[in-house]
Amino acid sequence: MIHIAESGKGQPIILLHGFCENHHIWDSLASQLATQFRVLGVDLPGFGDSPLLPEKYTSLDDVADALAEELTYRKVGPAFVVGHSLGGYVALALAELYPELLQGIALVNSTTFGDSQDKKRTRDKVITFIAKHGVVPFINQFVEGIFYQKENFHEPYETVKAMGLSCSEEILIRYTAMMRDRIDRTFLLQQSTIPAMVIAGAEDSIVLVGQSQEMIDCLPEAHGTMLHSCGHMAMYEQPEKLYGHLVDFINNTATGGSRG
């Protein structure tokens, strides 16, 4: 069973964390959202308090299948799904495979594009590195690059690092391979009946600004936001702006309008 931390009442909002994280990445945002909505902070399989998926599950679509089963069991939906980085990839898989469960998706420091060949090679190097050297040196290196001006975010930096260090080699290797092999779902921004929002960081070193701008250009103007002075961790680096854009998107989408 996938672990989900619930709070609040009303329209369901599902929060999906990124790679090397767990649902606590959203604690501050979740407490704000819970004053208006039913908030479900998910630990993706193998992270936080969720058990690892059986070995036969080898793709992010399999992760989406497991999450959809849990949401159906809990009678959640249609819901808004907010996905950070890896969580955005899972949100996109849900949008394509289980559109009846969703009312909208918001991608936070994430991308609809599949990996380039260069990025795939980098993923392969990550897998080799973790298998050879273990979790600690990988996490120490990984977390170094995700904050913009990290000296301003000492406590969040240590929090995210601790989340990563709690992960197993197996889970990091399996998800790295699943991210490498995911499909491009950019078409969902234009063709899907599910409203989508992109919230990007202008200084994100993981999802580069050019790629983020391509996604934003596919959307209605009000549904794409570039946050300045923000790296890969908008929930820490620009929390109030992130909250404001999300609430506007949720409220206006739920009532059939559009922001702006």
Side-chain angles (χ1 to χ4, degrees):
M1 178 177 289
I2 293 176
H3 178 260
I4 299 179
E6 287 202 42
S7 57
K9 296 180 180 179
Q11 167 70 50
I13 312 297
I14 299 165
L15 303 177
L16 302 181
H17 62 80
F19 186 53
C20 306
E21 302 168 3
N22 58 54
H23 80 274
H24 289 296
I25 205 80
W26 299 113
D27 279 354
S28 180
L29 179 68
S31 65
Q32 289 181 289
L33 291 173
T35 63
Q36 303 179 59
F37 308 107
R38 177 188 179 191
V39 180
L40 299 99
V42 174
D43 282 338
L44 293 172
F47 294 100
D49 293 323
S50 287
L52 186 62
L53 281 173
E55 289 193 8
K56 66 178 180 178
Y57 295 102
T58 59
S59 73
L60 294 181
D61 287 6
D62 294 330
V63 175
D65 289 341
L67 181 54
E69 183 178 355
E70 183 70 23
L71 296 174
T72 300
Y73 172 77
R74 291 174 178 251
K75 296 181 171 59
V76 177
F80 284 89
V81 180
V82 181
H84 176 242
S85 197
L86 162 64
Y89 309 155
V90 178
L92 289 164
L94 282 172
E96 181 175 8
L97 301 173
Y98 301 95
E100 70 281 1
L101 294 180
L102 305 188
Q103 190 163 355
I105 62 171
L107 306 179
V108 179
N109 303 120
S110 191
T111 179
T112 57
F113 295 100
D115 278 358
S116 66
Q117 288 304 311
D118 284 345
K119 185 67 172 181
K120 288 178 186 289
R121 285 190 284 270
T122 298
R123 304 274 195 204
D124 288 337
K125 290 177 182 178
V126 167
I127 289 170
T128 300
F129 184 90
I130 295 172
K132 182 177 181 180
H133 300 288
V135 171
V136 175
F138 170 70
I139 292 298
N140 287 339
Q141 185 180 78
F142 177 75
V143 180
E144 278 290 318
I146 59 177
F147 286 90
Y148 175 64
Q149 298 180 337
K150 70 169 188 168
E151 61 273 12
N152 296 327
F153 301 99
H154 176 73
E155 186 174 343
Y157 175 87
E158 294 299 330
T159 296
V160 176
K161 185 176 177 179
M163 290 182 190
L165 292 174
S166 72
C167 299
S168 68
E169 284 186 27
E170 178 186 4
I171 197 66
L172 295 184
I173 288 172
R174 287 181 65 181
Y175 271 89
T176 299
M178 288 191 283
M179 290 189 291
R180 178 197 63 200
D181 298 336
R182 75 188 190 281
I183 66 171
D184 189 303
R185 287 190 160 105
T186 306
F187 69 91
L188 288 174
L189 297 181
Q190 297 175 314
Q191 299 178 13
S192 177
T193 58
I194 300 171
M197 182 178 205
V198 171
I199 300 177
E203 284 74 39
D204 194 332
S205 64
I206 306 296
V207 182
L208 300 182
V209 65
Q211 193 172 89
S212 294
Q213 191 61 54
E214 284 188 61
M215 292 186 290
I216 288 171
D217 290 343
C218 291
L219 296 167
E221 184 177 351
H223 291 176
T225 300
M226 187 73 69
L227 299 178
H228 295 282
S229 299
C230 183
H232 194 63
M233 305 300 289
M235 71 288 294
Y236 292 121
E237 296 174 279
Q238 293 286 356
E240 293 307 316
K241 289 182 179 179
L242 174 62
Y243 172 76
H245 286 301
L246 285 175
V247 170
D248 282 354
F249 174 66
I250 293 165
N251 285 335
N252 287 308
T253 300
T255 57
S258 62
R259 197 167 59 84

